[in-house]
Amino acid sequence: MKKTVLITGATSGIGLACARRFADNGDQLILTGRNAQRLAEIEQELTAKGTSVLTLTFDVRDSTLAAQLIATLPAQWQQIDVLVNNAGLALGLEPEYEGNPEDWDAMIDTNIKGLLTMTRLIVPRMVERNRGHVINVGSVAGDAAYAGGNVYCATKAAVKAITDGLRIDVANTAVRVTNLKPGLVETNFSNIRFHGDTHRAATVYQGIKPLTGDDIAQVAVFAANAPEHVQIAEVLTLATHQASGSVIARAKSEE
């Protein structure tokens, strides 16, 4: 059955991969992000393939604008079947005592408060209809801290707790809640983390074949299309040579 799927942070990485996979699944998409031009390009790409797309340009940290845009959705877009809370970022890899408070604010406001904002705006209608699915993009980083990950790991631990809490809150309904926990995924994630230092970002993926955004998108679509009595509560997806957030077996470079 065709669904209406809202994906935050849909202009790149896992969010963009989810948009393409849900489009291939025949769903109609509400795509959000901060970059209006990039959203327009993605809309053009997907509509050319026959997908109905609505784009909303806002930062999930702006709860007021988010609420305004969701409240004024056209009638055909108001019944959101799947919410993919993907918008998130990591900034910096310094010891906690050397961290940048501005980076902390950005991660906390996006990864935690932005996710809560979208959940608060969308889930009440799911509960009223007794139907819907929330897919939160967490991380293996939410399972245990790694060196330099301090605040980012804390935000993803919060995503796990928030996701588990929501699942408990809606257990008396048919609304399903999923936490996707990717490991090492090669996107622009590391480039953002290192504030545009592409050389440093590239070293993150050296010596290992990482996951792609599409690998995670396939899991999201699978979870969303499981039988109605099946709730995929949590999925940890790692690259073959990654054992945890901090244990990665990298191939030795030849001298």
Side-chain angles (χ1 to χ4, degrees), residues 88-162:
L89 76 168
L91 293 171
L93 199 63
E94 300 83 16
E96 188 173 320
Y97 58 87
E98 294 178 354
N100 183 337
E102 293 183 358
D103 288 349
W104 298 346
D105 286 344
M107 288 186 282
I108 292 168
D109 290 348
T110 303
N111 301 356
I112 301 176
K113 294 168 69 176
L115 180 148
L116 286 170
T117 291
M118 296 307 298
T119 300
R120 183 65 181 85
L121 292 173
I122 304 302
V123 173
R125 291 187 181 182
M126 291 183 174
V127 172
E128 289 175 5
R129 296 194 310 271
N130 196 37
R131 183 181 183 86
H133 196 159
V134 178
I135 299 176
N136 291 333
V137 179
S139 172
V140 64
D143 290 344
Y146 55 76
N150 43 79
V151 175
Y152 174 70
C153 293
T155 66
K156 290 304 183 177
V159 169
K160 173 176 171 52
I162 290 166

Side-chain angles (χ1 to χ4, degrees), residues 132-135 163-180 219 222-235:
H133 196 159
V134 178
I135 299 176
T163 306
D164 290 346
L166 179 61
R167 192 180 306 110
I168 293 167
D169 291 339
V170 300
N172 64 330
T173 77
V175 177
R176 300 184 293 185
V177 184
T178 300
N179 183 18
L180 299 186
V219 179
F222 175 82
N225 288 279
E228 290 187 2
H229 71 287
V230 177
Q231 180 170 216
I232 309 297
E234 186 171 284
V235 182

